Amino acid sequence: METTRTDRFKTAILLIAATGLIAGLAFYFSGEPDVANAVWIAGVVPALAALVVEILRSLRSGEVGLDIVAALSMSAALVFGETLAAAVVAVMYSGGTFLEAFAEGRARREMHDLLSRVPRTATRHRNGGLEEVPLNEIAPGDRLLIRQGDVVPVDGTLSSETAFVDTSALTGESLPVRLRYGAEAMSGSTNAGEAFDLIATHEAKDSTYAGIVRLVEEAQASKAPMSRLADRWSLGFLAVTVSIAFAAWWFTGDPIRAVAVLVVATPCPLILAVPVALVAGLSRAAHFGVLIKGAGPLETMARIRTLILDKTGTLTDGRPQIVAIDSHDGMAEEDILRLAAALDQASKHPVAQAIVAAAKERGFSLPVPSDVAEIPGEGVVGYVEGRKIIVGGDAFVASRVGRRPGDHSAIAAGSVLVAVAVDGHMVGHLVMSDPLRDGAGQMLDGLRREGIARILLATGDRADVAERVTEGLGLDGLRAGLTPDQKVLLVLTERKNGPVMMVGDGVNDAPALAAADVGVAMGARGAAASAEAADVVLLVDRIDRLGLGIEIARGARRIAVESVVAGIGLSVMGMIAAAFGYLTPVQGALLQEVIDVAVILNALRALRIAPHEPTIPKPKAVSSGQDDIAQGATP
């Protein structure tokens, strides 16, 4: 509401100034110069008064901006009778502020699209029927109907067999994502297929989309350090302007030359080109699923020299996958997996759930187990299709079938060995590992090309597991076995060499993310605590988007610097020309507005930054390790 009132006020000032300029010209060419002067003054005074009020507000908050030059030029033009020049400056100044508002609105359009997509109600199953309820009435456990085209209102798990959801508004993924029964659905995504049922897991205020909206609002309200730096530059520019104007008057005795210098030095929207460029960068990054919490973090992100990566869930996928199935009793590999997965449906252990997911991905139909008993940290025993099945660690299963554990020293570090027994016989083993993310190597190479000097791995996992995972990645350092406070110490140590970025996804990463100059959270599957502590959230579960975000940040900052340097440089050249009498006050005003418009349009180039998207290779099984799994945990 406040923004709307401000925009209307700026529009009104522009209309008054423009009307005064045009009406004054009409009277002037009608042979009534005195009336023209009066009309021009009437058009200038409201713009000058609004400008003075804005300057006083800035001074009270300790800021000195280039608007002082605009006030000086209008005042000097009125004092020395250059009313037409004053009217032109008033139109140009009010037009510049209007253009600023329009440019910033254009830069934030994609963010407003996010806000406009917030659903107001949801369809809930109740007593055998359907009811439309406000979002704040949805509670975890409610069963919701998501119709085709609906925006998913809250985070939840899929209760139908399959669903197709469009996450492009959140992640930049162009193709719909297929979800299976039990999969997590992110609020803010759109149902691109048939209607499906969703079991709510969060209230609306705690869901992913609500968090994104809050981050967007914070981003829009932020002011970049570069903007404050530009304000400090204004002191030097103001001194240069006054010096040139005074010298022109002193050496020529012509006050009109001083007025012309002041008019040329009216860079009304110049300094706002910086936030326009950075806000445009925020919008562009959000399009690719990189949500940056403000222009400040974006500007810092562009200067990063050191990158610290967590391993599990960041550099690796974070979910164990089957890399091999060894059969010992002539049973087919497919049968071993199917029976193990059928029994593991009764367990919530990450490894058990990974086995179930692997079986479903292969299209296996899993029967319901019976008489299931789970021994925490050891394994699961039960019956599937009338056969007794045991799934768990090798030692646990071997003891249950009356045999000694085998020698599995050849298994790669960090791999998990899951034994499977059927009717008292050891039938095989499932070898599982946490694979390196596809394209991790290409992502790191791209970051080095973007100027990242040091890339380190920080993990709580064992050193042998971390070394195997990072083999061939060319990291500059590896720190294993770290506790959360040790990760913080590593971040603080590396900050001595320049700005540090930390990337993580777990609760244990949150302190380090908060300590880093820029903390990046893997928000698609990461913990809420890490997303809350981070400055940047990757909304899509792809580590390569980090490189895109940095490339966009550096592009936006480069464009912002270009805008400042070009705008101030051209203004100084114009002032010198005016001091030597080559520009009249009216010509100077027109020239300065051309410069201002050009600078704003240049800043908007940040909306067209096209980062180089890496080519992700086909998935391949890479043995690695998961922090808790690698330490011997079994289903």
Side-chain angles (χ1 to χ4, degrees):
M1 183 65 70
E2 184 64 30
T3 301
T4 302
R5 285 198 296 266
T6 301
D7 291 344
R8 289 176 179 173
F9 179 75
K10 291 179 179 180
T11 302
I13 293 295
L14 173 60
L15 290 175
I16 293 173
T19 301
L21 175 61
I22 295 172
L25 289 173
F27 281 114
Y28 181 83
F29 288 112
S30 298
E32 300 186 43
D34 293 337
V35 177
N37 286 331
V39 171
W40 283 330
I41 293 173
V44 171
V45 170
L48 181 58
L51 180 55
V52 170
V53 170
E54 185 63 30
I55 291 172
L56 292 176
R57 287 177 179 173
S58 298
L59 291 175
R60 279 200 299 270
S61 61
E63 297 179 0
V64 179
L66 289 176
D67 287 345
I68 293 177
V69 180
L72 285 175
S73 64
M74 277 190 272
S75 301
L78 290 177
V79 169
F80 291 104
E82 292 289 334
T83 53
L84 175 57
V88 172
V89 171
V91 171
M92 297 308 178
Y93 169 77
S94 55
T97 58
F98 179 81
L99 179 61
E100 292 160 13
F102 173 79
E104 288 185 299
R106 170 68 179 86
R108 290 172 174 166
R109 182 173 301 169
E110 290 181 16
M111 290 190 174
H112 283 297
D113 287 343
L114 274 177
L115 298 175
S116 67
R117 287 170 45 83
V118 178
R120 304 292 181 227
T121 62
T123 305
R124 181 171 62 186
H125 289 274
R126 178 60 59 88
N127 299 326
L130 297 171
E131 61 179 359
E132 200 76 12
V133 296
L135 284 193
N136 58 10
E137 292 186 13
I138 298 175
D142 283 349
R143 188 184 188 92
L144 308 177
L145 174 66
I146 312 299
R147 294 163 296 199
Q148 186 173 25
D150 281 355
V151 174
V152 178
V154 298
D155 292 344
T157 57
L158 189 64
S159 184
S160 300
E161 286 301 319
T162 59
F164 286 89
V165 294
D166 179 1
T167 63
S168 58
L170 302 176
T171 66
E173 293 283 357
S174 58
L175 297 176
V177 177
R178 183 178 183 178
L179 302 179
R180 295 182 181 274
Y181 179 85
E184 296 180 358
M186 185 189 303
S187 57
S189 54
T190 303
N191 182 8
E194 299 297 326
F196 63 86
D197 285 348
L198 183 81
I199 303 299
T201 56
H202 294 80
E203 296 181 5
K205 63 182 179 65
D206 298 323
S207 290
T208 300
Y209 199 63
I212 293 172
V213 171
R214 286 193 293 270
L215 297 184
V216 169
E217 291 171 343
E218 292 173 7
Q220 291 177 336
S222 68
K223 184 179 183 183
M226 280 190 67
S227 297
R228 293 192 289 272
L229 179 60
D231 288 340
R232 291 197 294 271
W233 290 350
S234 65
L235 291 173
F237 185 77
L238 178 60
V240 171
T241 299
V242 173
S243 299
I244 294 177
F246 181 77
W249 189 359
W250 177 268
F251 288 108
T252 66
D254 184 3
I256 302 304
R257 290 198 183 187
V259 173
V261 170
L262 293 173
V263 167
V264 174
T266 310
C268 308
L270 170 59
I271 297 305
L272 276 158
V274 175
V276 165
L278 297 185
V279 170
L282 294 178
S283 176
R284 192 62 178 154
H287 175 75
F288 288 94
V290 182
L291 188 66
I292 305 174
K293 299 182 183 179
L298 181 138
E299 195 273 335
T300 306
M301 195 173 178
R303 299 184 292 107
I304 290 299
R305 300 289 295 166
T306 300
L307 173 66
I308 300 176
L309 293 163
D310 177 46
K311 182 180 71 65
T312 304
T314 302
L315 196 59
T316 67
D317 187 67
R319 295 171 288 196
Q321 295 183 13
I322 296 174
V323 296
I325 301 177
D326 296 332
S327 176
H328 307 317
D329 199 28
M331 181 175 286
E333 295 180 1
E334 292 79 4
D335 290 335
I336 294 174
L337 175 58
R338 187 179 70 86
L339 293 173
L343 181 61
D344 274 342
Q345 291 178 101
S347 173
K348 287 294 185 181
H349 192 281
V351 174
Q353 291 301 302
I355 292 173
V356 174
K360 288 183 175 180
E361 286 176 2
R362 301 189 188 192
F364 293 165
S365 177
L366 302 180
V368 178
S370 60
D371 298 328
V372 178
E374 181 171 4
I375 295 83
E378 297 287 348
V380 184
V381 180
Y383 288 84
V384 176
E385 297 177 335
R387 309 177 74 178
K388 184 177 181 180
I389 310 297
I390 306 174
V391 180
D394 185 58
F396 169 74
V397 176
S399 66
R400 289 293 179 120
V401 298
R403 58 177 292 179
R404 300 178 64 180
D407 181 12
H408 302 288
S409 57
I411 297 296
S415 295
V416 175
L417 194 66
V418 179
V420 181
V422 177
D423 292 333
H425 299 283
M426 184 79 76
V427 297
H429 288 84
L430 307 177
V431 182
M432 307 184 70
S433 69
D434 180 15
L436 194 68
R437 285 182 181 271
D438 296 327
Q442 291 88 330
M443 183 272 294
L444 296 182
D445 291 341
L447 290 176
R448 292 193 185 279
R449 288 193 295 271
E450 285 296 322
I452 303 296
R454 282 174 57 78
I455 301 178
L456 309 174
L457 181 74
T459 178
D461 207 346
R462 304 196 314 267
D464 56 345
V465 175
E467 289 171 359
R468 191 177 195 289
V469 171
T470 59
E471 186 178 358
L473 291 181
L475 297 176
D476 297 295
L478 189 156
R479 307 290 186 272
L482 300 182
T483 59
D485 57 332
Q486 288 173 330
K487 288 185 179 182
V488 172
L489 181 60
L490 175 62
V491 169
L492 297 178
T493 302
E494 290 296 328
R495 287 182 67 179
K496 298 176 182 178
N497 302 320
V500 173
M501 174 183 286
M502 170 73 190
V503 187
D505 78 322
V507 175
N508 63 328
D509 297 319
L513 295 179
D517 295 282
V518 176
V520 181
M522 301 294 294
R525 287 191 286 118
S530 61
E532 189 71 24
D535 303 294
V536 180
V537 180
L538 301 186
L539 298 177
V540 60
D541 193 30
R542 285 177 53 181
I543 188 66
D544 63 287
R545 293 303 171 96
L546 178 62
L548 300 184
I550 292 178
E551 187 176 349
I552 290 172
R554 296 198 166 172
R557 184 177 187 272
R558 181 178 62 254
I559 290 172
V561 172
E562 288 174 358
S563 299
V564 170
V565 173
I568 291 181
L570 291 174
S571 295
V572 171
M573 292 172 62
M575 284 189 288
I576 293 174
F580 281 97
Y582 294 110
L583 293 174
T584 65
V586 174
Q587 292 171 336
L590 294 174
L591 173 63
Q592 183 56 59
E593 185 56 23
V594 170
I595 295 173
D596 292 341
V597 171
V599 166
I600 289 290
L601 293 178
N602 181 68
L604 284 174
R605 286 172 45 226
L607 284 170
R608 300 194 302 272
I609 295 175
H612 299 86
E613 294 210 48
T615 301
I616 301 299
K618 293 182 179 180
K620 60 181 180 179
V622 180
S623 294
S624 57
Q626 188 182 28
D627 290 8
D628 59 340
I629 295 175
Q631 296 173 11
T634 55

